[in-house]
Amino acid sequence: RKPDGTYADLETIAGRVATALQRDGVAPGDTVLVALPNGIPLVATALGALRIGAVVAALDPALPDA
């Protein structure tokens, strides 16, 4: 299966995420919880958070409850 999008698309989305996080008050060192299934949206969100110096905590919503 061919991946959806390009590295340029990923970079664009990550930039938009970074801008939105900063606008919402996320600062370097803050923790951003990302609860998305594996895929491009998860990677783009994590990259956007890392770009502004935030810490990423990724949760897989597909995991069963404990």
Side-chain angles (χ1 to χ4, degrees):
R1 179 175 170 231
K2 191 174 186 178
D4 299 327
T6 64
Y7 284 112
D9 295 334
L10 183 63
E11 180 67 22
T12 298
I13 297 166
R16 290 179 183 161
V17 169
T19 299
L21 289 171
Q22 285 180 317
R23 185 177 51 238
D24 288 343
V26 177
D30 287 351
T31 300
V32 174
L33 176 64
V34 181
L36 294 168
N38 289 336
I40 291 174
L42 170 67
V43 174
T45 302
L47 288 174
L50 292 170
R51 179 182 285 186
I52 64 169
V55 176
V56 176
L59 297 177
D60 185 350
L63 292 176
D65 292 339

